[in-house]
Amino acid sequence: MEKNDFNEIGLSLKEYRDKYGANFPLCVVKTAYGYSKKGVLPQQALANAAAVYAELFKQRELSQCGLMAEKRQNTVTIWNLQTETSDAQQRLLQGEWDFHNHAMCIARLGENYACTRRTTLEFSSNQVVGICEHKHRFIAVVALEQSSIPTDVVSVQESEKLANLVAENAVSLYKGYLMSVERRRQLSGNATQQNEKLNHISFENYLLQHKILFVEGLNPENDFLGKAPKVSVEQFLVQQGDRLKQTFRIADIKIFGDFEHF
């Protein structure tokens, strides 16, 4: 909408809100509406109104923390998403958010908010990176090393789909891994440090040995008699590598989130 369109069309406040500010509180839209009547374009008017509104909330305590992953070409940045209430964390799952626009997020949430960088992970060009985010609470980042870098779009997409699947399995299985480590520690009792080392299993090995999840037709949950052959994550990587004329291996796994209290 050009500057003179607003005055020519003469949008009502309700029409203005429906078209430009449906996700914002009425008080923010009213302020923006006033700016637009003076000639400010609606998007800029909303940004200005959100900035004024956000000032009222910036000193409020942030007691709830979620997580977000942002993927670029060879990096993944993990962000802490802080809010005043758990309800706001749930709202962050709905719709699209510009997490880095502080004022706009506060205006939409109706409470204080912050997005702060937790860490940035870097990967080499021969690695394909998969991410799984679960309800802004848990994140797995998995890097698969490839024997060759795919050059066609379909192969790239298939490799990324595989990496995302492994990351999804990692999020699903990590709690079970922590529980198995704790059980092993309790059973070891007064075992020597050397025995503890022998009994230890890394999460990567735990993941590779576990049956692959979330693949239609593989490892069905209703196989009560245990007759269906089990396909492990490691076996699945080999199968997909053969299909894509690649060799895949897990190069790195990073897990984020409070699994200890999940």
Side-chain angles (χ1 to χ4, degrees):
M1 175 180 277
E2 297 297 330
K3 183 182 293 186
N4 61 353
D5 287 343
F6 179 85
N7 293 325
E8 289 176 3
I9 296 173
L11 293 178
S12 67
L13 175 60
K14 182 181 182 304
E15 292 169 331
Y16 184 89
R17 188 183 192 188
D18 289 344
K19 188 167 186 177
Y20 300 107
N23 294 321
F24 294 90
L26 181 59
C27 61
V28 174
V29 178
K30 281 184 175 179
T31 302
Y33 184 73
Y35 293 153
S36 289
K37 289 183 72 174
K38 295 177 181 178
V40 181
L41 294 175
Q43 296 303 329
Q44 185 58 54
L46 277 169
N48 294 345
V52 172
Y53 180 82
E55 286 297 323
L56 304 172
F57 295 85
K58 286 184 177 179
Q59 302 306 315
R60 292 190 179 184
E61 182 180 358
L62 300 170
S63 60
Q64 302 293 322
C65 187
L67 296 168
M68 178 187 73
E70 185 175 46
K71 183 179 178 181
R72 296 188 182 277
Q73 187 171 5
N74 291 315
T75 66
V76 173
T77 299
I78 306 298
W79 299 88
N80 290 325
L81 306 178
Q82 295 173 277
T83 58
E84 295 179 48
T85 66
S86 57
D87 177 68
Q89 291 287 327
Q90 292 300 314
R91 290 180 59 199
L92 292 175
L93 297 172
Q94 303 166 8
E96 296 183 0
W97 292 82
D98 182 358
F99 291 103
H100 304 297
N101 191 322
H102 191 200
M104 283 293 201
C105 278
I106 289 178
R108 286 184 64 182
L109 285 171
E111 63 179 73
N112 197 10
Y113 167 88
C115 180
T116 55
R117 189 178 74 87
R118 181 165 177 168
T119 187
T120 295
L121 309 172
E122 297 184 358
F123 303 95
S124 62
S125 58
N126 70 326
Q127 294 176 342
V128 57
V129 179
I131 299 173
C132 177
E133 296 182 65
H134 182 64
K135 295 184 177 180
H136 277 319
R137 294 183 61 192
F138 310 107
I139 293 175
V141 182
V142 173
L144 297 181
E145 190 173 281
Q146 308 171 97
S147 55
S148 61
I149 301 175
T151 55
D152 62 286
V153 174
V154 173
S155 295
V156 170
Q157 291 175 341
E158 287 291 315
S159 295
E160 289 181 347
K161 181 180 177 182
L162 178 61
N164 288 334
L165 175 64
V166 176
E168 187 178 9
N169 275 260
V171 167
S172 180
L173 296 173
Y174 193 66
K175 177 65 175 180
Y177 167 72
L178 293 179
M179 292 173 65
S180 71
V181 169
E182 178 60 21
R183 283 195 300 269
R184 192 174 288 111
R185 186 191 67 79
Q186 292 175 354
L187 291 172
S188 65
N190 297 322
T192 64
Q193 186 176 8
Q194 181 63 29
N195 284 337
E196 288 181 2
K197 288 181 179 179
L198 291 174
N199 288 332
H200 179 71
I201 180 173
S202 69
F203 177 58
E204 178 181 329
N205 287 332
Y206 179 90
L207 175 65
L208 287 170
Q209 294 169 18
H210 199 280
K211 66 179 183 180
I212 189 81
L213 305 174
F214 313 120
V215 179
E216 187 175 356
L218 288 183
N219 305 324
E221 291 295 327
N222 59 356
D223 178 31
F224 301 114
L225 299 178
K227 292 184 177 180
K230 297 295 187 292
V231 179
S232 69
V233 172
E234 186 172 29
Q235 291 168 332
F236 190 76
L237 286 174
V238 172
Q239 292 174 3
Q240 295 306 301
D242 292 343
R243 183 174 69 86
L244 297 172
K245 297 179 172 56
Q246 282 271 20
T247 299
F248 294 103
R249 76 169 188 87
I250 295 178
D252 196 10
I253 303 175
K254 291 290 188 297
I255 304 290
F256 302 89
D258 187 11
F259 284 88
E260 294 283 354
H261 299 94
F262 174 53

